[in-house]
Amino acid sequence: MDITTPHGPGRVEIDEVTDPRFLLVLTHGSAGGVDAGDLLAVRDATTAIGGTVARVLQPFRMRGARAPGSAVKQDEAWEALVAELRGRYPGLPLAQGGRSNGARVACRTAGAVGARAVVALAFPLHPPGKPERSRAGELRAAGVDVLVVNGDRDPFGVPDAVDAARLVVLPGEGHDLKKDPARVGEVVAAWLDATMRPGPGPGDL
Protein backbone atom coordinates (compact mmCIF):
# COMPACT_ATOMS: atom_id res chain seq x y z
CA MET A 1 0.00 0.00 0.00
CA ASP A 2 1.06 3.61 -0.55
CA ILE A 3 1.18 6.13 2.28
CA THR A 4 1.22 9.89 1.75
CA THR A 5 3.95 11.93 3.45
CA PRO A 6 4.91 15.61 3.31
CA HIS A 7 7.63 14.66 0.82
CA GLY A 8 5.84 12.26 -1.47
CA PRO A 9 4.34 8.80 -1.12
CA GLY A 10 6.08 5.80 0.40
CA ARG A 11 5.21 2.19 -0.33
CA VAL A 12 4.74 -0.44 2.36
CA GLU A 13 4.71 -4.21 2.14
CA ILE A 14 3.23 -5.83 5.24
CA ASP A 15 3.65 -9.40 6.42
CA GLU A 16 1.06 -9.96 9.14
CA VAL A 17 0.93 -12.69 11.74
CA THR A 18 -1.99 -13.93 13.79
CA ASP A 19 -2.10 -12.35 17.25
CA PRO A 20 1.08 -10.26 16.78
CA ARG A 21 3.33 -9.45 19.72
CA PHE A 22 4.83 -6.30 18.17
CA LEU A 23 5.25 -4.34 14.95
CA LEU A 24 8.65 -4.11 13.24
CA VAL A 25 9.04 -1.42 10.57
CA LEU A 26 12.07 -1.92 8.32
CA THR A 27 13.62 0.08 5.52
CA HIS A 28 16.42 -0.02 2.96
CA GLY A 29 19.72 1.69 2.29
CA SER A 30 20.37 4.67 0.03
CA ALA A 31 20.25 2.92 -3.33
CA GLY A 32 18.51 -0.27 -2.26
CA GLY A 33 15.04 -1.68 -1.90
CA VAL A 34 12.96 -3.68 0.53
CA ASP A 35 13.88 -6.99 -1.09
CA ALA A 36 17.49 -6.92 0.11
CA GLY A 37 18.52 -10.34 1.37
CA ASP A 38 19.14 -9.29 4.96
CA LEU A 39 15.79 -7.47 5.18
CA LEU A 40 13.94 -10.52 3.87
CA ALA A 41 15.79 -12.76 6.32
CA VAL A 42 14.87 -10.46 9.20
CA ARG A 43 11.25 -10.47 8.03
CA ASP A 44 11.14 -14.26 7.95
CA ALA A 45 12.78 -14.70 11.33
CA THR A 46 10.66 -11.99 12.95
CA THR A 47 7.32 -13.26 11.71
CA ALA A 48 8.36 -16.68 13.06
CA ILE A 49 8.49 -15.24 16.59
CA GLY A 50 5.18 -13.40 16.28
CA GLY A 51 6.10 -9.99 14.93
CA THR A 52 4.19 -8.29 12.14
CA VAL A 53 6.71 -6.77 9.73
CA ALA A 54 6.25 -3.72 7.50
CA ARG A 55 8.95 -3.06 4.88
CA VAL A 56 8.95 0.55 3.72
CA LEU A 57 10.16 1.91 0.40
CA GLN A 58 10.86 5.54 1.21
CA PRO A 59 9.65 8.45 -0.94
CA PHE A 60 13.06 9.27 -2.38
CA ARG A 61 13.33 5.76 -3.82
CA MET A 62 9.77 5.99 -5.13
CA ARG A 63 10.99 9.03 -7.09
CA GLY A 64 13.91 7.01 -8.44
CA ALA A 65 16.59 8.85 -6.48
CA ARG A 66 19.60 6.89 -5.22
CA ALA A 67 20.36 9.24 -2.33
CA PRO A 68 17.95 10.49 0.34
CA GLY A 69 18.90 14.17 0.19
CA SER A 70 17.92 16.26 3.20
CA ALA A 71 18.01 14.27 6.41
CA VAL A 72 15.34 16.55 7.88
CA LYS A 73 12.93 15.84 5.04
CA GLN A 74 13.75 12.14 5.09
CA ASP A 75 13.00 11.97 8.81
CA GLU A 76 9.77 13.92 8.41
CA ALA A 77 8.60 11.50 5.74
CA TRP A 78 9.59 8.52 7.87
CA GLU A 79 7.71 9.82 10.90
CA ALA A 80 4.56 10.22 8.78
CA LEU A 81 4.90 6.69 7.43
CA VAL A 82 5.35 5.16 10.87
CA ALA A 83 2.49 7.18 12.34
CA GLU A 84 0.17 5.76 9.70
CA LEU A 85 1.36 2.22 10.41
CA ARG A 86 0.95 2.64 14.16
CA GLY A 87 -2.59 3.78 13.52
CA ARG A 88 -3.26 0.54 11.67
CA TYR A 89 -1.91 -1.53 14.57
CA PRO A 90 -2.95 0.36 17.71
CA GLY A 91 -1.52 -0.91 20.96
CA LEU A 92 1.30 -2.93 19.42
CA PRO A 93 4.79 -2.15 20.73
CA LEU A 94 6.95 -0.72 17.96
CA ALA A 95 10.44 -1.62 16.86
CA GLN A 96 12.00 -0.06 13.80
CA GLY A 97 15.15 -0.53 11.80
CA GLY A 98 16.87 -0.73 8.49
CA ARG A 99 20.11 -1.32 6.72
CA SER A 100 22.83 1.31 6.16
CA ASN A 101 21.16 4.70 5.62
CA GLY A 102 17.90 3.16 6.81
CA ALA A 103 19.58 2.27 10.11
CA ARG A 104 20.55 5.92 10.53
CA VAL A 105 16.95 7.05 9.95
CA ALA A 106 15.68 4.50 12.47
CA CYS A 107 18.11 5.80 15.10
CA ARG A 108 17.39 9.46 14.44
CA THR A 109 13.61 9.09 14.64
CA ALA A 110 13.22 6.47 17.36
CA GLY A 111 12.15 8.95 20.01
CA ALA A 112 9.82 10.90 17.75
CA VAL A 113 7.84 7.82 16.67
CA GLY A 114 7.79 6.12 20.08
CA ALA A 115 9.86 3.08 19.14
CA ARG A 116 10.87 0.69 21.89
CA ALA A 117 13.92 -0.64 20.07
CA VAL A 118 16.02 -0.14 16.93
CA VAL A 119 17.63 -2.72 14.64
CA ALA A 120 20.62 -1.26 12.80
CA LEU A 121 21.95 -3.48 10.01
CA ALA A 122 25.30 -2.50 8.43
CA PHE A 123 25.28 0.81 10.31
CA PRO A 124 27.57 3.09 8.24
CA LEU A 125 29.80 4.42 10.99
CA HIS A 126 31.68 6.69 8.60
CA PRO A 127 32.14 7.21 4.86
CA PRO A 128 34.72 4.75 3.45
CA GLY A 129 38.24 5.92 4.21
CA LYS A 130 37.04 8.80 6.43
CA PRO A 131 36.91 7.52 10.03
CA GLU A 132 37.10 11.09 11.32
CA ARG A 133 33.52 11.62 10.07
CA SER A 134 31.96 9.32 12.65
CA ARG A 135 28.18 8.95 12.94
CA ALA A 136 28.34 7.20 16.31
CA GLY A 137 26.39 10.08 17.79
CA GLU A 138 23.29 8.90 15.95
CA LEU A 139 23.50 5.54 17.73
CA ARG A 140 23.99 7.15 21.11
CA ALA A 141 21.13 9.62 20.52
CA ALA A 142 18.52 6.97 19.68
CA GLY A 143 17.28 6.99 23.27
CA VAL A 144 16.29 3.31 23.15
CA ASP A 145 18.08 -0.02 22.94
CA VAL A 146 19.84 -0.47 19.59
CA LEU A 147 21.02 -3.75 18.11
CA VAL A 148 23.86 -3.27 15.61
CA VAL A 149 24.72 -6.07 13.18
CA ASN A 150 27.76 -5.34 11.00
CA GLY A 151 30.26 -7.33 9.01
CA ASP A 152 33.92 -7.26 9.94
CA ARG A 153 34.84 -6.36 6.34
CA ASP A 154 32.52 -3.37 6.08
CA PRO A 155 34.37 -0.41 4.51
CA PHE A 156 31.96 1.92 6.32
CA GLY A 157 33.41 0.73 9.64
CA VAL A 158 32.05 -1.03 12.70
CA PRO A 159 30.59 0.85 15.67
CA ASP A 160 31.97 0.43 19.18
CA ALA A 161 30.10 -1.91 21.50
CA VAL A 162 29.63 0.90 24.04
CA ASP A 163 27.47 2.83 21.56
CA ALA A 164 24.74 0.15 21.29
CA ALA A 165 22.76 -2.12 23.56
CA ARG A 166 24.26 -5.02 21.62
CA LEU A 167 26.84 -5.22 18.84
CA VAL A 168 27.16 -8.35 16.69
CA VAL A 169 30.05 -8.45 14.22
CA LEU A 170 29.74 -11.20 11.64
CA PRO A 171 33.02 -12.56 10.28
CA GLY A 172 33.54 -12.45 6.54
CA GLU A 173 30.58 -10.15 5.91
CA GLY A 174 30.80 -6.87 4.01
CA HIS A 175 28.41 -3.94 3.92
CA ASP A 176 25.74 -5.91 2.06
CA LEU A 177 25.54 -8.70 4.68
CA LYS A 178 24.81 -11.14 1.87
CA LYS A 179 27.14 -14.01 2.77
CA ASP A 180 24.73 -15.52 5.29
CA PRO A 181 21.55 -13.42 5.54
CA ALA A 182 19.78 -16.17 7.48
CA ARG A 183 22.28 -15.65 10.28
CA VAL A 184 21.40 -11.95 10.31
CA GLY A 185 17.74 -12.88 10.70
CA GLU A 186 18.51 -15.26 13.55
CA VAL A 187 20.49 -12.64 15.45
CA VAL A 188 17.77 -10.01 15.06
CA ALA A 189 14.90 -12.32 15.97
CA ALA A 190 16.64 -13.60 19.10
CA TRP A 191 17.27 -10.04 20.26
CA LEU A 192 13.76 -8.83 19.46
CA ASP A 193 12.27 -11.89 21.16
CA ALA A 194 13.86 -10.76 24.42
CA THR A 195 13.64 -6.99 23.95
CA MET A 196 9.99 -6.85 22.89
CA ARG A 197 8.58 -8.92 25.74
CA PRO A 198 5.50 -7.50 27.48
CA GLY A 199 6.10 -4.53 29.70
CA PRO A 200 6.13 -0.76 29.32
CA GLY A 201 8.62 0.77 26.89
CA PRO A 202 9.41 4.37 25.92
CA GLY A 203 6.78 4.35 23.18
CA ASP A 204 4.07 3.03 25.50
CA LEU A 205 4.15 5.73 28.19
Side-chain angles (χ1 to χ4, degrees):
M1 71 175 181
D2 289 357
I3 295 177
T4 300
T5 84
H7 306 291
R11 183 160 295 161
V12 184
E13 298 186 31
I14 301 176
D15 291 272
E16 295 184 325
V17 297
T18 303
D19 194 22
R21 296 170 50 198
F22 60 89
L23 171 66
L24 172 63
V25 185
L26 285 174
T27 195
H28 49 78
S30 288
V34 296
D35 291 328
D38 53 352
L39 296 182
L40 294 178
V42 168
R43 175 202 64 184
D44 293 345
T46 300
T47 54
I49 62 166
T52 283
V53 179
R55 290 172 294 134
V56 176
L57 189 68
Q58 296 177 62
F60 76 92
R61 291 297 288 144
M62 293 278 285
R63 294 192 299 270
R66 295 176 60 85
S70 162
V72 171
K73 292 181 178 179
Q74 186 183 23
D75 292 355
E76 288 174 349
W78 180 257
E79 289 167 20
L81 288 159
V82 175
E84 177 72 21
L85 289 167
R86 293 205 82 177
R88 288 177 61 92
Y89 300 96
L92 278 188
L94 171 69
Q96 67 175 11
R99 61 166 290 101
S100 193
N101 173 266
R104 296 181 64 193
V105 175
C107 288
R108 292 197 306 257
T109 62
V113 302
R116 181 181 290 191
V118 169
V119 174
L121 306 177
F123 186 89
L125 182 63
H126 56 72
K130 298 180 179 180
E132 71 280 3
R133 293 175 56 186
S134 174
R135 299 160 177 148
E138 292 181 347
L139 286 171
R140 293 191 291 266
V144 299
D145 286 348
V146 180
L147 166 68
V148 174
V149 183
N150 272 54
D152 66 351
R153 298 182 181 179
D154 193 331
F156 290 83
V158 177
D160 292 331
V162 295
D163 291 329
R166 186 175 183 215
L167 169 67
V168 177
V169 182
L170 300 177
E173 291 280 10
H175 192 63
D176 50 18
L177 297 174
K178 70 178 183 180
K179 184 178 179 181
D180 188 3
R183 177 61 182 151
V184 177
E186 291 168 3
V187 168
V188 172
W191 187 77
L192 287 174
D193 193 31
T195 304
M196 301 302 287
R197 286 177 180 167
D204 308 317
L205 299 178

